[in-house]
Amino acid sequence: MQLTNRINRIQVSPTSVVISAAEQLKAKGVDIADFGPGEPDFPTPEHIKKAAIRAIEENRTKYTPTGGIMPLREAIVNWHKRELGSNYTPKECVVNVGGKHSIFNAVCVLIESGDEVIEDGFAAKAADIEKAITPKTKMVIINSPSNPTGAVIDGEEFQRILAVCNKHAVWLMGDECYSHFVYEPHKPFSIAGAPHSKEQLIIVGSVSKTFAMTGWRIGYTLAPEPLIQAMVKIQSQSTSNPTSVAQYAALEAMRGSMDSVPVMLAEYAKRRKRIVEGLREIDGLSCEWPGGAFYAFPDVSAHLKGSNPLAKNCTELAKDLLDKAHVALVPGEAFGAPGFLRISYATSLERIEEGLRRLSRFFARAEAAF
């Protein structure tokens, strides 16, 4: 079959590949310690689910405006102002089909063939980003807190990054998907709250993580109005509006109680402590403390070196861990970080303990084989 060059250049999401492989084993009755999914294991809060049910009962199941219902756009900018100190209007907001869709639309609108985009998955400094900027650079994407590392960029450094982008007339995209999952001493932060920040800034967010609504597929973009209008245009010719019922659920999330957020964060903090300490006890593994999100990102490169390496790379290692130890996780190559593994601790402490036991046995047998 003759497919286009652009589709042949794209890989299936590595996280989806891991989830699919793990599900196939589960279907055969295999018990998997699953550290793959990047989503909260908590249910969507009841008041949000009830809002969706009301929307169905009230027959709010028709097309909506392409950019989202106006009450939701108003609620998003109000929520973002209250929680993160920004100052957007509904005309500077578009509702998308999840955070990935927000990023996709913005890139479609702004990036031409041959343009460069710098993505920062670690806690890089403004000086490092400036060194990487070339005349072809059109955008810098900052994901903080970060997937996969859990790294958090502090506010002062973020402002220096913004200044660098403004200096070089480069767009700065802030991916805030994990904004409210940060651990002390960090606090929720948006660079949109900085003075004079809006001209070259794009903010991407979603209700997926903060409100345990990954499957509802509601994201949003905050940006200058001309860019928002362009994103609405491309959305009108692709997905049209986000799902109507999901929009009303998101409206309740933005307007309603956030009591579920500190409950989830407190549980993630316990899991974070246990998994990092457990990983550090395994020979040949090192792991930094994540400042946010719900991922540990251990360095396993010691097991990929020497005369008798455990595997050629982390992709092969992750496959062996799934097949032999029945532990599902994502290889670092999926994020441009060879030598690392992404472990989601959005699962129970009981499953974390079981996963750590399996990892410990796997790497202990590997050491014995040497």
mmCIF file of all heavy atoms in Angstrom, residues 145-146 148-152 181-186 268-269 271-273 275-277 279-280 287-298 343 345:
data_model
loop_
_atom_site.group_PDB
_atom_site.id
_atom_site.type_symbol
_atom_site.label_atom_id
_atom_site.label_comp_id
_atom_site.label_asym_id
_atom_site.label_seq_id
_atom_site.Cartn_x
_atom_site.Cartn_y
_atom_site.Cartn_z
ATOM 1 N N PRO A 145 5.103 20.854 34.875
ATOM 2 C CA PRO A 145 5.892 19.659 35.138
ATOM 3 C C PRO A 145 5.948 18.755 33.906
ATOM 4 O O PRO A 145 5.025 18.722 33.108
ATOM 5 C CB PRO A 145 5.153 18.979 36.279
ATOM 6 C CG PRO A 145 4.391 20.078 36.958
ATOM 7 C CD PRO A 145 3.985 20.991 35.843
ATOM 8 N N SER A 146 7.043 18.010 33.827
ATOM 9 C CA SER A 146 7.362 17.320 32.588
ATOM 10 C C SER A 146 6.927 15.867 32.572
ATOM 11 O O SER A 146 7.050 15.157 33.550
ATOM 12 C CB SER A 146 8.885 17.377 32.362
ATOM 13 O OG SER A 146 9.276 16.503 31.327
ATOM 14 N N PRO A 148 8.424 13.015 30.337
ATOM 15 C CA PRO A 148 8.425 11.879 31.261
ATOM 16 C C PRO A 148 9.219 12.065 32.556
ATOM 17 O O PRO A 148 9.229 11.162 33.382
ATOM 18 C CB PRO A 148 9.130 10.809 30.424
ATOM 19 C CG PRO A 148 10.186 11.593 29.689
ATOM 20 C CD PRO A 148 9.537 12.919 29.367
ATOM 21 N N THR A 149 9.902 13.191 32.732
ATOM 22 C CA THR A 149 10.893 13.257 33.805
ATOM 23 C C THR A 149 10.321 13.694 35.150
ATOM 24 O O THR A 149 10.926 13.448 36.188
ATOM 25 C CB THR A 149 12.013 14.245 33.439
ATOM 26 O OG1 THR A 149 11.471 15.572 33.377
ATOM 27 C CG2 THR A 149 12.627 13.887 32.092
ATOM 28 N N GLY A 150 9.183 14.394 35.136
ATOM 29 C CA GLY A 150 8.677 14.990 36.366
ATOM 30 C C GLY A 150 9.390 16.272 36.735
ATOM 31 O O GLY A 150 9.134 16.854 37.791
ATOM 32 N N ALA A 151 10.288 16.753 35.870
ATOM 33 C CA ALA A 151 11.050 17.970 36.161
ATOM 34 C C ALA A 151 10.135 19.190 36.161
ATOM 35 O O ALA A 151 9.165 19.270 35.405
ATOM 36 C CB ALA A 151 12.161 18.161 35.130
ATOM 37 N N VAL A 152 10.449 20.164 37.029
ATOM 38 C CA VAL A 152 9.689 21.402 37.138
ATOM 39 C C VAL A 152 10.641 22.577 36.953
ATOM 40 O O VAL A 152 11.700 22.635 37.591
ATOM 41 C CB VAL A 152 8.985 21.509 38.505
ATOM 42 C CG1 VAL A 152 8.304 22.862 38.657
ATOM 43 C CG2 VAL A 152 7.976 20.377 38.675
ATOM 44 N N PHE A 181 -0.155 19.176 39.732
ATOM 45 C CA PHE A 181 0.488 18.038 40.384
ATOM 46 C C PHE A 181 1.968 18.354 40.576
ATOM 47 O O PHE A 181 2.827 17.919 39.814
ATOM 48 C CB PHE A 181 0.301 16.762 39.558
ATOM 49 C CG PHE A 181 -1.116 16.259 39.556
ATOM 50 C CD1 PHE A 181 -1.600 15.519 38.497
ATOM 51 C CD2 PHE A 181 -1.985 16.537 40.605
ATOM 52 C CE1 PHE A 181 -2.907 15.050 38.489
ATOM 53 C CE2 PHE A 181 -3.295 16.089 40.609
ATOM 54 C CZ PHE A 181 -3.760 15.343 39.549
ATOM 55 N N VAL A 182 2.244 19.162 41.606
ATOM 56 C CA VAL A 182 3.613 19.533 41.946
ATOM 57 C C VAL A 182 3.828 19.294 43.436
ATOM 58 O O VAL A 182 2.901 19.391 44.240
ATOM 59 C CB VAL A 182 3.921 21.003 41.595
ATOM 60 C CG1 VAL A 182 3.996 21.199 40.093
ATOM 61 C CG2 VAL A 182 2.884 21.953 42.192
ATOM 62 N N TYR A 183 5.071 18.965 43.799
ATOM 63 C CA TYR A 183 5.415 18.629 45.170
ATOM 64 C C TYR A 183 6.262 19.742 45.783
ATOM 65 O O TYR A 183 6.964 20.474 45.082
ATOM 66 C CB TYR A 183 6.182 17.305 45.195
ATOM 67 C CG TYR A 183 5.484 16.217 44.404
ATOM 68 C CD1 TYR A 183 5.952 15.822 43.152
ATOM 69 C CD2 TYR A 183 4.333 15.607 44.894
ATOM 70 C CE1 TYR A 183 5.298 14.847 42.413
ATOM 71 C CE2 TYR A 183 3.670 14.627 44.161
ATOM 72 C CZ TYR A 183 4.159 14.253 42.913
ATOM 73 O OH TYR A 183 3.502 13.298 42.181
ATOM 74 N N GLU A 184 6.170 19.871 47.097
ATOM 75 C CA GLU A 184 6.932 20.903 47.793
ATOM 76 C C GLU A 184 8.410 20.839 47.400
ATOM 77 O O GLU A 184 8.962 19.763 47.245
ATOM 78 C CB GLU A 184 6.793 20.718 49.309
ATOM 79 C CG GLU A 184 5.389 20.986 49.840
ATOM 80 C CD GLU A 184 4.982 22.455 49.728
ATOM 81 O OE1 GLU A 184 5.875 23.300 49.530
ATOM 82 O OE2 GLU A 184 3.787 22.739 49.821
ATOM 83 N N PRO A 185 9.047 21.991 47.197
ATOM 84 C CA PRO A 185 8.571 23.357 47.461
ATOM 85 C C PRO A 185 7.862 24.014 46.270
ATOM 86 O O PRO A 185 7.573 25.197 46.308
ATOM 87 C CB PRO A 185 9.869 24.094 47.763
ATOM 88 C CG PRO A 185 10.871 23.445 46.860
ATOM 89 C CD PRO A 185 10.482 21.979 46.822
ATOM 90 N N HIS A 186 7.594 23.263 45.221
ATOM 91 C CA HIS A 186 6.987 23.834 44.019
ATOM 92 C C HIS A 186 5.512 24.153 44.236
ATOM 93 O O HIS A 186 4.831 23.513 45.036
ATOM 94 C CB HIS A 186 7.143 22.867 42.847
ATOM 95 C CG HIS A 186 8.553 22.494 42.544
ATOM 96 N ND1 HIS A 186 9.472 23.378 42.044
ATOM 97 C CD2 HIS A 186 9.213 21.317 42.688
ATOM 98 C CE1 HIS A 186 10.637 22.782 41.885
ATOM 99 N NE2 HIS A 186 10.503 21.527 42.272
ATOM 100 N N TYR A 268 -0.306 10.774 45.452
ATOM 101 C CA TYR A 268 0.844 10.706 44.548
ATOM 102 C C TYR A 268 2.154 10.949 45.300
ATOM 103 O O TYR A 268 3.183 10.342 44.990
ATOM 104 C CB TYR A 268 0.702 11.721 43.413
ATOM 105 C CG TYR A 268 -0.347 11.375 42.394
ATOM 106 C CD1 TYR A 268 -1.182 12.355 41.870
ATOM 107 C CD2 TYR A 268 -0.504 10.069 41.944
ATOM 108 C CE1 TYR A 268 -2.162 12.047 40.933
ATOM 109 C CE2 TYR A 268 -1.473 9.755 41.009
ATOM 110 C CZ TYR A 268 -2.302 10.745 40.503
ATOM 111 O OH TYR A 268 -3.257 10.436 39.578
ATOM 112 N N ALA A 269 2.120 11.831 46.285
ATOM 113 C CA ALA A 269 3.329 12.114 47.060
ATOM 114 C C ALA A 269 3.804 10.867 47.804
ATOM 115 O O ALA A 269 5.010 10.589 47.869
ATOM 116 C CB ALA A 269 3.075 13.261 48.035
ATOM 117 N N ARG A 271 3.217 7.747 46.903
ATOM 118 C CA ARG A 271 3.700 6.809 45.890
ATOM 119 C C ARG A 271 5.065 7.242 45.359
ATOM 120 O O ARG A 271 5.938 6.398 45.112
ATOM 121 C CB ARG A 271 2.686 6.726 44.748
ATOM 122 C CG ARG A 271 1.312 6.234 45.184
ATOM 123 C CD ARG A 271 0.305 6.387 44.060
ATOM 124 N NE ARG A 271 -1.038 5.987 44.444
ATOM 125 C CZ ARG A 271 -2.073 6.012 43.614
ATOM 126 N NH1 ARG A 271 -1.921 6.422 42.370
ATOM 127 N NH2 ARG A 271 -3.271 5.630 44.042
ATOM 128 N N ARG A 272 5.217 8.523 45.155
ATOM 129 C CA ARG A 272 6.500 9.066 44.683
ATOM 130 C C ARG A 272 7.630 8.682 45.632
ATOM 131 O O ARG A 272 8.702 8.232 45.199
ATOM 132 C CB ARG A 272 6.371 10.587 44.574
ATOM 133 C CG ARG A 272 7.667 11.375 44.419
ATOM 134 C CD ARG A 272 7.302 12.852 44.374
ATOM 135 N NE ARG A 272 8.440 13.739 44.299
ATOM 136 C CZ ARG A 272 8.940 14.418 45.315
ATOM 137 N NH1 ARG A 272 8.394 14.286 46.538
ATOM 138 N NH2 ARG A 272 9.958 15.228 45.156
ATOM 139 N N LYS A 273 7.404 8.864 46.916
ATOM 140 C CA LYS A 273 8.430 8.540 47.912
ATOM 141 C C LYS A 273 8.800 7.062 47.844
ATOM 142 O O LYS A 273 9.987 6.709 47.811
ATOM 143 C CB LYS A 273 7.929 8.898 49.309
ATOM 144 C CG LYS A 273 8.928 8.645 50.434
ATOM 145 C CD LYS A 273 8.360 9.106 51.762
ATOM 146 C CE LYS A 273 9.398 9.010 52.880
ATOM 147 N NZ LYS A 273 9.842 7.623 53.123
ATOM 148 N N ILE A 275 8.352 4.801 45.392
ATOM 149 C CA ILE A 275 8.929 4.274 44.162
ATOM 150 C C ILE A 275 10.344 4.781 43.938
ATOM 151 O O ILE A 275 11.218 4.038 43.485
ATOM 152 C CB ILE A 275 8.025 4.558 42.944
ATOM 153 C CG1 ILE A 275 8.356 3.553 41.831
ATOM 154 C CG2 ILE A 275 8.163 5.998 42.442
ATOM 155 C CD1 ILE A 275 7.262 3.361 40.826
ATOM 156 N N VAL A 276 10.610 6.038 44.270
ATOM 157 C CA VAL A 276 11.974 6.545 44.104
ATOM 158 C C VAL A 276 12.921 5.834 45.063
ATOM 159 O O VAL A 276 14.022 5.411 44.673
ATOM 160 C CB VAL A 276 12.028 8.072 44.300
ATOM 161 C CG1 VAL A 276 13.475 8.565 44.325
ATOM 162 C CG2 VAL A 276 11.251 8.783 43.185
ATOM 163 N N GLU A 277 12.517 5.686 46.311
ATOM 164 C CA GLU A 277 13.361 4.975 47.271
ATOM 165 C C GLU A 277 13.583 3.529 46.826
ATOM 166 O O GLU A 277 14.704 3.001 46.923
ATOM 167 C CB GLU A 277 12.729 5.010 48.659
ATOM 168 C CG GLU A 277 12.753 6.385 49.301
ATOM 169 C CD GLU A 277 12.046 6.441 50.646
ATOM 170 O OE1 GLU A 277 11.325 5.469 50.984
ATOM 171 O OE2 GLU A 277 12.195 7.450 51.351
ATOM 172 N N LEU A 279 13.458 2.261 43.718
ATOM 173 C CA LEU A 279 14.318 2.209 42.536
ATOM 174 C C LEU A 279 15.776 2.429 42.899
ATOM 175 O O LEU A 279 16.681 1.789 42.340
ATOM 176 C CB LEU A 279 13.861 3.249 41.516
ATOM 177 C CG LEU A 279 12.524 2.971 40.821
ATOM 178 C CD1 LEU A 279 12.055 4.197 40.050
ATOM 179 C CD2 LEU A 279 12.630 1.765 39.892
ATOM 180 N N ARG A 280 16.031 3.314 43.858
ATOM 181 C CA ARG A 280 17.406 3.599 44.269
ATOM 182 C C ARG A 280 18.059 2.416 44.982
ATOM 183 O O ARG A 280 19.286 2.349 45.078
ATOM 184 C CB ARG A 280 17.431 4.841 45.170
ATOM 185 C CG ARG A 280 17.186 6.129 44.417
ATOM 186 C CD ARG A 280 17.254 7.334 45.334
ATOM 187 N NE ARG A 280 17.323 8.588 44.599
ATOM 188 C CZ ARG A 280 17.529 9.771 45.153
ATOM 189 N NH1 ARG A 280 17.671 9.877 46.473
ATOM 190 N NH2 ARG A 280 17.589 10.856 44.407
ATOM 191 N N CYS A 287 17.920 7.373 40.267
ATOM 192 C CA CYS A 287 16.649 8.046 39.986
ATOM 193 C C CYS A 287 16.581 9.364 40.747
ATOM 194 O O CYS A 287 16.776 9.394 41.965
ATOM 195 C CB CYS A 287 15.475 7.153 40.386
ATOM 196 S SG CYS A 287 13.857 7.805 39.896
ATOM 197 N N GLU A 288 16.306 10.451 40.018
ATOM 198 C CA GLU A 288 16.125 11.755 40.635
ATOM 199 C C GLU A 288 14.707 11.869 41.191
ATOM 200 O O GLU A 288 13.785 11.180 40.760
ATOM 201 C CB GLU A 288 16.360 12.861 39.607
ATOM 202 C CG GLU A 288 17.767 12.906 39.046
ATOM 203 C CD GLU A 288 18.810 13.220 40.102
ATOM 204 O OE1 GLU A 288 18.493 14.054 40.990
ATOM 205 O OE2 GLU A 288 19.908 12.653 40.050
ATOM 206 N N TRP A 289 14.540 12.779 42.143
ATOM 207 C CA TRP A 289 13.207 13.036 42.682
ATOM 208 C C TRP A 289 12.421 13.893 41.689
ATOM 209 O O TRP A 289 12.839 15.002 41.354
ATOM 210 C CB TRP A 289 13.293 13.765 44.017
ATOM 211 C CG TRP A 289 13.753 12.895 45.135
ATOM 212 C CD1 TRP A 289 15.022 12.780 45.619
ATOM 213 C CD2 TRP A 289 12.938 12.000 45.903
ATOM 214 N NE1 TRP A 289 15.060 11.854 46.643
ATOM 215 C CE2 TRP A 289 13.786 11.373 46.841
ATOM 216 C CE3 TRP A 289 11.584 11.668 45.887
ATOM 217 C CZ2 TRP A 289 13.337 10.433 47.758
ATOM 218 C CZ3 TRP A 289 11.117 10.737 46.793
ATOM 219 C CH2 TRP A 289 11.978 10.131 47.720
ATOM 220 N N PRO A 290 11.287 13.411 41.185
ATOM 221 C CA PRO A 290 10.471 14.248 40.302
ATOM 222 C C PRO A 290 9.840 15.394 41.082
ATOM 223 O O PRO A 290 9.346 15.205 42.196
ATOM 224 C CB PRO A 290 9.414 13.277 39.775
ATOM 225 C CG PRO A 290 9.326 12.197 40.802
ATOM 226 C CD PRO A 290 10.691 12.084 41.410
ATOM 227 N N GLY A 291 9.854 16.591 40.491
ATOM 228 C CA GLY A 291 9.254 17.746 41.149
ATOM 229 C C GLY A 291 7.761 17.843 40.942
ATOM 230 O O GLY A 291 7.074 18.569 41.648
ATOM 231 N N GLY A 292 7.249 17.097 39.948
ATOM 232 C CA GLY A 292 5.832 17.153 39.647
ATOM 233 C C GLY A 292 5.401 15.964 38.817
ATOM 234 O O GLY A 292 6.178 15.034 38.582
ATOM 235 N N ALA A 293 4.160 15.996 38.354
ATOM 236 C CA ALA A 293 3.526 14.931 37.569
ATOM 237 C C ALA A 293 3.475 13.641 38.382
ATOM 238 O O ALA A 293 3.483 13.669 39.611
ATOM 239 C CB ALA A 293 4.237 14.739 36.228
ATOM 240 N N PHE A 294 3.430 12.486 37.716
ATOM 241 C CA PHE A 294 3.428 11.214 38.446
ATOM 242 C C PHE A 294 4.288 10.183 37.723
ATOM 243 O O PHE A 294 3.874 9.052 37.488
ATOM 244 C CB PHE A 294 2.002 10.687 38.677
ATOM 245 C CG PHE A 294 1.035 10.903 37.542
ATOM 246 C CD1 PHE A 294 1.174 10.238 36.332
ATOM 247 C CD2 PHE A 294 -0.044 11.761 37.697
ATOM 248 C CE1 PHE A 294 0.280 10.422 35.297
ATOM 249 C CE2 PHE A 294 -0.961 11.954 36.662
ATOM 250 C CZ PHE A 294 -0.794 11.280 35.461
ATOM 251 N N TYR A 295 5.513 10.622 37.386
ATOM 252 C CA TYR A 295 6.458 9.755 36.708
ATOM 253 C C TYR A 295 7.805 9.737 37.429
ATOM 254 O O TYR A 295 8.304 10.783 37.861
ATOM 255 C CB TYR A 295 6.705 10.219 35.271
ATOM 256 C CG TYR A 295 5.458 10.346 34.453
ATOM 257 C CD1 TYR A 295 4.976 11.601 34.087
ATOM 258 C CD2 TYR A 295 4.757 9.223 34.042
ATOM 259 C CE1 TYR A 295 3.825 11.725 33.339
ATOM 260 C CE2 TYR A 295 3.596 9.347 33.291
ATOM 261 C CZ TYR A 295 3.136 10.597 32.939
ATOM 262 O OH TYR A 295 1.987 10.722 32.199
ATOM 263 N N ALA A 296 8.381 8.537 37.544
ATOM 264 C CA ALA A 296 9.790 8.401 37.898
ATOM 265 C C ALA A 296 10.529 8.092 36.605
ATOM 266 O O ALA A 296 9.985 7.427 35.710
ATOM 267 C CB ALA A 296 9.975 7.281 38.915
ATOM 268 N N PHE A 297 11.761 8.556 36.506
ATOM 269 C CA PHE A 297 12.518 8.422 35.252
ATOM 270 C C PHE A 297 13.914 7.889 35.564
ATOM 271 O O PHE A 297 14.904 8.607 35.466
ATOM 272 C CB PHE A 297 12.588 9.778 34.557
ATOM 273 C CG PHE A 297 12.806 9.711 33.073
ATOM 274 C CD1 PHE A 297 11.961 8.973 32.251
ATOM 275 C CD2 PHE A 297 13.835 10.430 32.479
ATOM 276 C CE1 PHE A 297 12.142 8.938 30.882
ATOM 277 C CE2 PHE A 297 14.033 10.412 31.116
ATOM 278 C CZ PHE A 297 13.178 9.658 30.305
ATOM 279 N N PRO A 298 14.007 6.601 35.973
ATOM 280 C CA PRO A 298 15.295 6.062 36.384
ATOM 281 C C PRO A 298 16.279 5.903 35.225
ATOM 282 O O PRO A 298 15.889 5.573 34.102
ATOM 283 C CB PRO A 298 14.922 4.700 36.979
ATOM 284 C CG PRO A 298 13.650 4.330 36.293
ATOM 285 C CD PRO A 298 12.918 5.616 36.108
ATOM 286 N N ILE A 343 8.434 5.376 34.370
ATOM 287 C CA ILE A 343 7.577 4.581 35.244
ATOM 288 C C ILE A 343 6.480 5.480 35.790
ATOM 289 O O ILE A 343 6.746 6.447 36.498
ATOM 290 C CB ILE A 343 8.392 3.964 36.401
ATOM 291 C CG1 ILE A 343 9.408 2.962 35.844
ATOM 292 C CG2 ILE A 343 7.485 3.312 37.420
ATOM 293 C CD1 ILE A 343 10.306 2.345 36.896
ATOM 294 N N TYR A 345 3.672 6.181 38.337
ATOM 295 C CA TYR A 345 3.212 5.693 39.636
ATOM 296 C C TYR A 345 1.762 6.119 39.910
ATOM 297 O O TYR A 345 1.339 6.246 41.063
ATOM 298 C CB TYR A 345 4.143 6.107 40.776
ATOM 299 C CG TYR A 345 4.538 7.563 40.874
ATOM 300 C CD1 TYR A 345 3.757 8.473 41.576
ATOM 301 C CD2 TYR A 345 5.721 8.028 40.302
ATOM 302 C CE1 TYR A 345 4.133 9.799 41.703
ATOM 303 C CE2 TYR A 345 6.108 9.353 40.412
ATOM 304 C CZ TYR A 345 5.301 10.232 41.113
ATOM 305 O OH TYR A 345 5.685 11.548 41.231
#
